[in-house]
Each structure stands twice: as structure tokens, then as C-alpha cells.
Amino acid sequence: MSPALSYAAAETKKEKEEQKREINRRYQKGVKHLCENGITKVPTKYILPVSDRPTNVGDHQNADNHGLKLPVIDFALLMQASSRSHVLQSLTKACEEYGFFQLVNHGIERDVILDMIEASRSFFNLSFEERAKYMSADVRAPVRCGTSFNQNIDGVFCWRDFLKLNCHPLSDVLPFWPSSPLNLREAAVKYSEQVKFLYLMVMEAIVESLGLTKTASEISASGLREMVEDGSQLMVVNCYPACPEPDLTLGMPPHSDYGLLTLLLQDEQVKGLQIQHGGRWLTIDPIPNSFVVNVGDHLEIFSNGRYKSVLHRVVVNSVKSRISVASLHSRPLNSVIRPSPELINEANPRRYMDTDFATFLDYMNSCEHKRKNFLDSRKLNP
């Protein structure tokens, strides 16, 4: 090749790379930004391979998409001595067979929930310039506004923007939280504190339901501090804008959550959450004033595989935007997660290696996170 042709080829390659970087920069600004600028088709960056696309989505609000009613756990009955044993049996069955359950009569004030939802909507209704102040690709940032699932790695983006708020220790991270909209900090503080208390009570019941008498005794004696009280809490506000071609993309791809438990506040008006159950994707029917609670990877490890961290995903629709608030809880970031010794014996050998949150973050930064590939990487006998 002549020097002139070689130079021209190099320039063409350089131009293409710059065009690609510019396209990526545009998508890094988020789905909401795309929609605000007017789109009638889903950009190629968001179109999934045919094998990964959702089915029965087009008008899935009215479609027969095998709606699923999850097991329901009544928190008020769980807290009563006379009914606790029966509810614990239901909790065990839910965690073993579904990895999910709906929590009702949880005691969190309705106004606290409505204020959190309203503040979340208000944040995503801010101008792009205001939202952009909190955009970051750093997965360790105390506050992070971003898009897709892992925008640093994802080959195909998903139809989702998010605001992640690290909630522990609250006094350290609160100054970094968005100061706009004005009601966000107050609403998020009240909500995160009440959800944290609810999580502590549910986690205590989870340990008891596993029959871990020694661990349960230690937890009770220490006021839950060692196991969960000083643990991590990450609040994720999800925004799924209305999508012009919802059958081509997903709000979130199939995945499992990394922590012990996730408490999700679903959008009561717009369905979207699906779990994999019995070989099918089933849409979770929202129950007003309830939480969807799911087992995370760390709890599957801690239970030595007895309780299952189940794949779930989010579908979008062409008519309405959807807001959800997930509160992810686990051990302190520097602590080690391992199977409980009480659950290991000859008949049930140890199934998972030790792990910690830093290992998870490193994994997130090194590969495209989907399905249960992180949990699979911790199995001793895959």
C-alpha cells in the first residue's frame, strides 16, 4: 500500500472511531435525554439480538402475559408470637420456590412512600443539565446518575436511567446527595431509614426460617449489628421512559441482585417486573402499598444454596413511563460472605467460595453483568 493510501486508511479509521465515541457519548446521556429530543424508533444501540428480546410485550399492559401473584408475607402477623411460626413456614417456601415474595402490612407510612415516589419523578423531570451534575461512570461513587445496566461495559444498552444513592453511613453520604429537587433529600432520608428498619426485621426472620439457632441467638444478642445493622444499603431509583418499540429492548436484562435482600417499591400503575419461574418469564402483578422482596446472591451463598437468587428482568411499554425504587442490602462492604457453617454437612457440602463486595465491583467493571454470572463465578462446583 502506498504511503498516501496508508495515510488515508488511517484517517478513515480515526474518523470512524471518533464517530463511534460520539455516538456512545450521546447514549451515555441516558434514555430520558433521547426521549426529550424526540425519537420515533429505538436506536440500534438498544436493539437486542432476536433471541434476547421479550415476548408478548407490544401492548403488554393488556396482553395475557401469564401474570404471577407471588407468595404474600404479612409483616404484621410475622411480628406476632402466636402467628410467627406459621408465617416463617410461608417465608421458607417463598424463598426456596420463588426467591421472591410480596410483603404487606409492613408498617411504613403511606406518606413516606408517596413522597419518595414523587421526589423520584421530580428528579427525572429535571433538565438534563441538572441530572448531568450527578452522572458518573464510577461504580463506587456515593451518588451516581447513569443509564443502562453497566454503561461502561454493555454492548447493547437497556431502556433505563437510574439514580443510585449510597445510604450508609447516612451522615457521610448525605452531603453528596442531589440538592434538587428540594424535597428529594428529606424524602429519601425518611424512606431509607424506615426501609432499613424493615429490612432488619425481615432479615432476622430469614435467619430464623433457615433454622440457624446459633446465628439467630447471636443476632438477637447483638441487636443485629454484626450481621446486618452496619451493613451496606444502596437505594436505586429506576426510570423506564415510554418506549416506541418495546418489543426490541428491555428496561433491565435478566440478572440477579448481588446482596442479601432487595426491597423493591414497584410502580403500582405500570407493570414491568418479570421473574423466571417454571421456565417462563412471568410478570409480577403489583399489590398496592406492598414491597416486592427478593433473595440476593449473598443470601444464596449464606444459605449454601437453600434460598435461591432468581433471575428477573424489566420490560417496558409504549404508553407510560415507569418509576421503581429498589433498596439493596447486604453486609458491610469490607466483610466476607460465606455459607453458614450450620448449613454445611456431609449431605450438604459447601457449595460456594468466600466473596465480598469489592470482588463484586471488580467483576462488574471487568465483564458484562447479566444473568447470574457473578454468582456462578463463586460456585465451587459449577
Side-chain angles (χ1 to χ4, degrees):
M1 182 181 292
S2 68
L5 289 176
S6 178
Y7 176 78
E11 283 296 299
T12 301
K13 182 180 180 182
K14 184 178 179 181
E15 288 174 1
K16 288 182 177 179
E17 289 176 348
E18 180 55 37
Q19 288 174 356
K20 185 177 180 180
R21 282 192 291 268
E22 178 56 35
I23 290 172
N24 283 336
R25 280 194 290 268
R26 179 155 58 96
Y27 294 138
Q28 296 273 353
K29 294 178 180 179
V31 182
K32 190 79 160 48
H33 182 68
L34 282 177
C35 295
E36 288 166 348
N37 284 276
I39 56 171
T40 58
K41 289 187 173 296
V42 171
T44 303
K45 183 71 175 177
Y46 297 86
I47 297 178
L48 291 164
V50 174
S51 60
D52 294 340
R53 294 176 192 174
T55 56
N56 293 331
V57 173
D59 182 21
H60 86 276
Q61 293 298 307
N62 300 315
D64 177 16
N65 55 3
H66 308 294
L68 175 68
K69 288 181 169 54
L70 288 174
V72 175
I73 302 299
D74 190 320
F75 182 76
L77 294 178
L78 183 63
M79 294 296 102
Q80 295 177 15
S82 60
S83 53
R84 187 173 179 86
S85 177
H86 176 72
V87 179
L88 286 175
Q89 291 176 16
S90 299
L91 184 62
T92 298
K93 185 176 181 180
C95 292
E96 288 179 344
E97 296 183 9
Y98 291 86
F100 276 78
F101 57 88
Q102 301 248 43
L103 191 68
V104 299
N105 294 328
H106 45 71
I108 295 183
E109 301 162 17
R110 184 65 172 167
D111 285 349
V112 171
I113 290 174
L114 294 177
D115 287 349
M116 185 65 215
I117 292 294
E118 176 58 32
S120 300
R121 291 190 191 281
S122 296
F123 176 82
F124 286 105
N125 284 333
L126 293 173
S127 67
F128 170 75
E129 289 72 23
E130 279 295 314
R131 301 195 305 270
K133 293 178 182 178
Y134 307 98
M135 289 185 174
S136 171
D138 180 8
V139 296
R140 290 176 168 82
V143 175
R144 182 174 169 231
C145 183
T147 191
S148 194
F149 193 90
N150 183 355
Q151 65 196 68
N152 303 325
I153 301 294
D154 293 344
V156 178
F157 273 18
C158 54
W159 201 261
R160 168 224 191 196
D161 291 343
F162 62 78
L163 174 66
K164 295 185 177 181
L165 302 174
N166 189 342
C167 300
H168 186 80
L170 196 55
S171 58
D172 291 351
V173 298
L174 187 57
F176 297 97
W177 285 12
S179 55
S180 183
L182 294 177
N183 60 334
L184 177 62
R185 285 191 183 181
E186 181 180 359
V189 165
K190 287 182 180 179
Y191 180 81
S192 66
E193 289 178 337
Q194 294 198 26
V195 170
K196 179 67 174 286
F197 178 78
L198 181 62
Y199 158 72
L200 295 177
M201 297 299 101
V202 174
M203 193 62 210
E204 183 176 31
I206 290 279
V207 171
E208 188 177 343
S209 73
L210 284 166
L212 302 179
T213 53
K214 179 181 178 182
T215 306
S217 177
E218 290 173 353
I219 288 176
S220 179
S222 64
L224 294 177
R225 280 192 301 274
E226 183 181 352
M227 177 72 177
V228 289
E229 192 171 274
D230 293 326
S232 64
Q233 179 183 8
L234 179 67
M235 195 149 63
V236 184
V237 181
N238 299 300
C239 175
Y240 306 100
C243 177
E245 298 175 293
D247 54 327
L248 300 180
T249 189
L250 282 168
M252 287 188 74
H255 68 285
S256 59
D257 292 347
Y258 71 85
L260 286 167
L261 286 179
T262 298
L263 279 71
L264 175 71
L265 187 62
Q266 276 220 81
D267 192 314
E268 294 181 3
Q269 305 301 319
V270 187
K271 297 179 183 180
L273 176 64
Q274 295 184 333
I275 73 168
Q276 196 170 75
H277 182 72
R280 295 187 301 172
W281 286 106
L282 303 178
T283 301
I284 303 303
D285 293 330
I287 296 177
N289 200 31
S290 72
F291 284 92
V292 173
V293 183
N294 65 279
V295 172
D297 292 349
H298 289 176
L299 183 51
E300 180 167 332
I301 292 173
F302 177 73
S303 70
N304 202 34
R306 182 177 173 187
Y307 288 175
K308 302 300 182 184
S309 172
V310 172
L311 285 175
H312 50 288
R313 69 182 188 181
V314 177
V315 295
V316 291
N317 70 88
S318 60
V319 180
K320 294 182 178 180
S321 295
R322 181 172 177 268
I323 290 285
S324 69
V325 183
S327 188
L328 291 84
H329 300 263
S330 195
R331 298 286 297 275
L333 299 186
N334 59 353
S335 67
V336 174
I337 304 292
R338 58 173 59 92
S340 170
E342 292 182 75
L343 298 176
I344 299 173
N345 51 49
E346 270 190 48
N348 190 32
R350 181 180 174 130
R351 303 178 189 277
Y352 304 87
M353 64 182 76
D354 292 358
T355 191
D356 56 21
F357 187 69
T359 302
F360 170 75
L361 290 180
D362 291 342
Y363 192 92
M364 279 284 289
N365 279 331
S366 65
C367 67
E368 191 169 355
H369 181 64
K370 56 185 178 181
R371 308 193 74 82
K372 295 178 68 170
N373 53 0
F374 172 70
L375 186 62
D376 289 341
S377 75
R378 312 315 295 164
K379 289 182 178 178
L380 292 172
N381 298 296

